[in-house]
């Protein structure tokens, strides 16, 4: 077989195998969820009806949950843009004292999942928290203002995603356009709205989309605020009825359809194709040195936002250092200890969850690096037709809510071949994996969620490694690989000896992001791990917060350990990818 045809044969083989895997563990779970929402018989998933969807909109409690989820997403995204866009403009266009350090500090809020940050926010903003103790008031963000508590905590966590995308977009602008408008007499405000904002709109939309979908489907933060009248929490509590009721399916379908429609509307209004640049000058060379008072204002604004954003982290750290019961109606804890950190590592329940998360995240990372390398190679180096389909599917997990994916995996365990028979043209095929060692179960006497958790983590974080790999391959000349082939090396050897070492930094950065975000994954962990033996870190943190006495303090210490891990990861990925880190968080 000629070398050219041999290469095409291998490439199409990989292409088909990867598409089959994505179909089985990405499209199939989503399809089961959608099918369950329209099935006449929820137990078997057969038939068709719109009654379940109608009942969702006929129930005022469920409608209120949808309205609240939408309102949380809108306000979280709006607040994130209001905070992130001025920061990005200052960073891209001006010089001011401490800029390099402050640019790094902007990423700090990403190191703590917002649902863990809610523990710190409770200590600071609760009825018996620091703020009320300082002011002598009794305003409770976890009571009468829990809606705004959820919005603020999520916005302070997610605004760096918009900042990264906006900064990258601003860095790619041609300064000559702004200078030409200035020469024609346009003022700074007019230039911003007429030139800068339209040019960065696609990048801004990319970041805002992630924030909106994340906030719209976020489960952990409303749970921690005990905000039950919001759709993700209603779905979470409805899992107990998933085997016999169609309501959880229907509610999940409505959430998915709403997220997709809102994305498409936003794409049509704000995410239109960007304008092409004829030239891209160095932004660093065009930065304006602010006067001393302007520099102080810029530094103060960056520092103020960072301090405000890390307040939940500060609350978590202080709670982790507090003796149980020694921070109540006081500005600061009255007694400190390091025992909580020791308990967070040595407590049998905590240690087991850490071990579980390390194993699950590690396997998911290895799996993603292998699959992501193959997908990246096919997208950049191959001549396979239909690459756009593969690219879209590999990016789809960023656009599909994690809650929907997790629910889909639950549905998968209840359907053929793991549970329930399959009837095709009158022929019934039994669930041949039911009761075997390959059976996947979330509920039941002997659940086996580990394979599902690994798959869920890997699928959910696959876009990170694909984007990192593609970025590395696009910067690496294919001639090096061809030279190795001409010298007698086969394709696998050329990739292993030439390509992988050249893009190793990208693979490491993507792998680190996969590992750390898998370690702190919320939706999949809360839904798929139903028994304490299988709890990952985030599910164990949630369980500890529900336990009286020392529970919240051990949970905070576990959050600090996780925060430290993610901080080191993001710092390393930032060093390896630089400004391209923002491309990781794009739909």
């Amino acid at each position: 077989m000629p070398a050219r045809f041999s290469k095409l044969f291998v490439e199409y083989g990989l292409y088909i195998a990867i598409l089959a895997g994505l179909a089985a563990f990405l499209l199939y779970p989503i399809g089961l969820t959608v099918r369950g929402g329209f099935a006449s018989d929820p137990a078997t998933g057969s038939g068709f009806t719109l009654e379940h969807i109608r009942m969702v909109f006929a129930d005022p409690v469920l409608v209120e949950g949808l309205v609240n989820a939408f309102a949380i997403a809108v306000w979280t995204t709006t607040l994130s843009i209001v905070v992130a866009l001025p920061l990005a403009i200052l960073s891209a266009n001006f010089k001011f004292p401490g800029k390099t350090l402050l640019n790094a500090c902007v990423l700090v809020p990403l190191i703590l999942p917002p649902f863990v940050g809610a523990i710190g926010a409770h200590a600071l903003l609760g009825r018996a928290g620091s703020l009320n103790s300082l002011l002598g008031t009794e305003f409770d963000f976890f009571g009468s203002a829990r809606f705004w508590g959820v919005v603020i905590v999520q916005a302070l966590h997610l605004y760096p995603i918009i900042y990264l995308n906006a900064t990258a977009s601003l860095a790619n602008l041609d300064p000559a356009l702004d200078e030409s408008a200035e020469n024609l007499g346009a003022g700074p405000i007019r230039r911003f709205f007429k030139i800068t904002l339209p040019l960065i709109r696609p990048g801004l939309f990319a970041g805002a989309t992630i924030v909106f979908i994340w906030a719209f489907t976020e489960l952990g933060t409303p749970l921690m605020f005990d905000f039950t009248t919001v759709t993700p929490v209603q779905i979470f509590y409805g899992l107990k009825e998933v085997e016999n009721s169609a309501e959880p399916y229907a509610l999940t379908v409505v959430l998915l359809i709403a997220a997709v429609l809102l994305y498409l509307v936003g794409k049509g209004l704000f995410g239109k194709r960007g304008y092409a640049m004829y030239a891209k000058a160095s932004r660093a060379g065009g930065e304006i040195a602010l006067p001393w008072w302007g520099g102080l204002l810029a530094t103060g604004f960056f520092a103020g936002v960072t301090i405000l954003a890390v307040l939940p982290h500060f609350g978590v750290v202080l709670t982790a250092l507090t003796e149980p019961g020694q921070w109540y109606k006081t500005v600061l804890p009255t007694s400190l200890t390091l025992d909580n950190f020791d308990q967070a590592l040595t407590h049998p329940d905590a240690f087991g969850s850490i071990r579980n998360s390390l194993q699950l995240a590690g396997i998911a990372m290895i799996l993603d690096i292998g699959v992501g390398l193959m997908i990246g190679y096919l997208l950049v180096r191959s001549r396979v037709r239909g690459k756009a389909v593969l690219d879209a599917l590999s990016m789809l997990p960023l656009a599909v809510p994690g809650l929907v994916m997790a629910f889909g995996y639950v549905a998968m365990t209840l359907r053929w071949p793991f549970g329930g028979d399959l009837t095709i043209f009158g022929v019934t095929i039994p669930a041949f994996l039911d009761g075997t060692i390959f059976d996947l179960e979330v509920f039941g006497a002997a659940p086996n969620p580990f394979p599902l958790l690994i798959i869920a983590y890997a699928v959910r974080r696959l876009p990170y490694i694909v984007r990192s790999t593609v970025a590395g391959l696009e910067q690496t000349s294919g001639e090096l690989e061809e030279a190795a082939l001409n010298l007698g090396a086969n394709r696998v050897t050329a990739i292993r000896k030439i390509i992988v070492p050249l893009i190793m930094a990208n693979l490491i950065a993507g792998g680190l992001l996969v590992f750390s975000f898998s370690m702190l994954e919320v939706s999949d962990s809360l839904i798929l791990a139903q028994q304490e033996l299988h709890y990952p870190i985030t599910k164990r943190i949630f369980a500890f917060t529900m336990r009286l006495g020392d529970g919240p303090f051990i949970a905070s210490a576990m959050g600090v350990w996780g925060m430290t891990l993610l901080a080191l990861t993001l710092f390393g990925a930032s060093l390896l990818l630089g400004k391209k880190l923002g491309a990781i968080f794009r739909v």
Side-chain angles (χ1 to χ4, degrees):
M1 182 182 294
R4 179 172 175 269
F5 290 103
S6 176
K7 179 187 176 185
L8 284 175
F9 180 79
V10 173
E11 288 175 351
Y12 274 103
L14 284 176
Y15 178 79
I16 294 172
I18 292 171
L19 283 185
L22 291 175
F25 297 111
L26 176 60
L27 298 181
Y28 182 55
I30 297 173
L32 284 178
T33 301
V34 174
R35 183 73 186 93
F38 294 101
S40 302
D41 185 354
T44 62
S46 59
F48 178 83
T49 181
L50 295 175
E51 183 63 19
H52 308 313
I53 304 297
R54 187 196 68 78
M55 290 177 63
V56 169
F57 291 99
D59 189 330
V61 175
L62 298 183
V63 172
E64 183 184 3
L66 284 167
V67 171
N68 285 337
F70 176 75
I72 287 173
V74 169
W75 282 107
T76 299
T77 307
T78 302
L79 185 57
S80 297
I81 292 174
V82 168
V83 172
L85 189 54
L87 292 175
I89 292 172
L90 285 173
S91 176
N93 294 288
F94 301 100
K95 294 180 181 179
F96 50 88
K99 177 179 174 178
T100 302
L101 176 62
L102 291 170
N103 275 333
C105 290
V106 165
L107 300 179
V108 168
L110 284 176
I111 68 176
L112 189 69
F115 101 103
V116 179
I119 302 174
H122 193 284
L124 298 173
L125 304 176
R127 187 178 298 276
S130 295
L131 184 61
N132 283 325
S133 299
L134 180 65
L135 302 178
T137 57
E138 292 188 356
F139 189 75
D140 189 5
F141 277 93
F142 285 74
S144 57
R146 56 168 58 99
F147 172 88
W148 292 108
V150 172
V151 168
I152 291 171
V153 168
Q154 290 189 165
L156 291 177
H157 171 72
L158 297 174
Y159 81 85
I161 295 176
I162 294 179
Y163 170 82
L164 286 168
N165 281 281
T167 303
S169 297
L170 287 165
N172 287 328
L173 293 184
D174 180 3
L177 297 174
D178 190 71
E179 292 167 1
S180 298
E182 184 178 10
N183 292 335
L184 292 172
I189 296 178
R190 182 177 177 82
R191 296 200 306 273
F192 173 75
F193 284 102
K194 292 295 185 179
I195 296 176
T196 303
L197 191 58
L199 290 173
I200 68 170
R201 183 182 58 205
L204 196 62
F205 172 78
T209 299
I210 294 293
V211 172
F212 185 91
I213 293 176
W214 193 322
F216 185 60
T217 61
E218 168 67 13
L219 170 63
T221 308
L223 266 179
M224 295 300 295
F225 275 85
D226 197 25
F227 190 29
T228 57
T229 53
V230 63
T231 302
V233 177
Q234 291 170 334
I235 293 173
F236 177 72
Y237 286 126
L239 281 174
K240 299 173 183 177
E241 307 170 2
V242 71
E243 296 187 61
N244 303 307
S245 173
E247 182 180 287
Y249 286 102
L251 196 54
T252 307
V253 168
V254 171
L255 184 75
L256 175 61
I257 293 174
V260 172
L261 289 178
L262 290 170
Y263 168 75
L264 292 176
V265 170
K267 182 75 170 176
L269 293 176
F270 308 112
K272 297 177 182 178
R273 184 178 178 86
Y275 300 93
M277 297 289 104
Y278 286 103
K280 293 182 181 179
S282 171
R283 299 299 301 187
E287 291 177 351
I288 301 171
L290 292 172
W292 68 268
W293 56 269
L296 288 179
L297 287 176
T299 301
F301 181 54
F302 259 86
V305 170
T306 301
I307 291 172
L308 188 63
V310 301
L311 277 178
H313 305 67
F314 178 72
V316 171
V317 173
L318 268 186
T319 304
L321 289 169
T322 301
E323 284 272 7
Q326 298 302 307
W327 194 3
Y328 182 77
K329 291 188 176 182
T330 58
V331 177
L332 294 172
T334 56
S335 180
L336 302 178
T337 181
L338 294 175
D339 289 345
N340 297 321
F341 289 99
D342 181 60
Q343 288 288 312
L345 293 178
T346 60
H347 191 286
D349 293 337
F351 179 78
S353 68
I354 293 172
R355 183 186 62 242
N356 290 342
S357 285
L358 287 172
Q359 292 174 348
L360 296 170
I363 297 173
M365 178 189 69
I366 294 171
L367 183 62
D368 265 353
I369 289 176
V371 175
L373 179 60
M374 290 187 289
I375 293 176
Y377 186 85
L378 289 174
L379 294 178
V380 178
R381 292 282 194 267
S382 77
R383 297 182 180 179
V384 172
R385 294 187 178 183
K387 289 191 290 185
V389 175
L390 181 59
D391 188 27
L393 282 179
S394 63
M395 294 299 108
L396 184 60
L398 282 178
V400 177
L403 184 64
V404 173
M405 289 295 302
F407 193 89
Y409 288 123
V410 173
M412 192 168 70
T413 66
L414 303 175
R415 298 288 183 264
W416 185 89
F418 305 104
D421 297 336
L422 178 66
T423 301
I424 302 178
F425 301 116
V427 178
T428 300
I429 305 175
F432 59 89
L433 294 181
D434 188 17
T436 69
I437 61 173
F438 300 105
D439 190 13
L440 300 178
E441 289 189 7
V442 173
F443 304 104
N448 182 28
F450 278 0
L452 274 181
L453 283 168
I454 292 171
I455 293 169
Y457 290 170
V459 171
R460 292 272 291 126
R461 305 306 170 192
L462 180 62
Y464 298 164
I465 194 71
V466 171
R467 281 247 165 86
S468 296
T469 303
V470 168
L473 288 171
E474 287 177 342
Q475 294 175 325
T476 304
S477 174
E479 295 178 356
L480 299 173
E481 181 185 353
E482 294 301 324
L485 294 175
N486 292 334
L487 292 173
N490 59 41
R491 184 73 56 177
V492 175
T493 301
I495 293 174
R496 183 169 58 88
K497 294 287 189 178
I498 305 295
I499 299 300
V500 171
L502 288 173
I503 64 169
M504 184 59 70
N506 297 76
L507 293 176
I508 292 174
L512 287 174
L513 290 172
V514 169
F515 179 79
S516 57
F517 280 109
S518 296
M519 284 283 292
L520 298 175
E521 172 64 38
V522 177
S523 297
D524 295 320
S525 300
L526 292 183
I527 290 176
L528 297 179
Q530 293 293 322
Q531 290 193 0
E532 292 196 0
L533 176 66
H534 306 124
Y535 281 4
I537 287 178
T538 45
K539 185 64 177 278
R540 176 55 61 193
I541 290 174
F542 176 69
F544 271 129
T545 60
M546 299 293 106
R547 193 174 86 177
L548 298 177
D550 62 353
F553 303 93
I554 298 177
S556 296
M558 292 184 70
V560 172
W561 287 124
M563 184 167 52
T564 303
L565 168 69
L566 195 49
L568 294 173
T569 297
L570 284 173
F571 179 73
S574 180
L575 288 178
L576 292 168
L577 292 181
K579 290 183 178 180
K580 289 183 172 58
L581 182 63
I584 296 293
F585 302 98
R586 277 190 192 170
V587 173

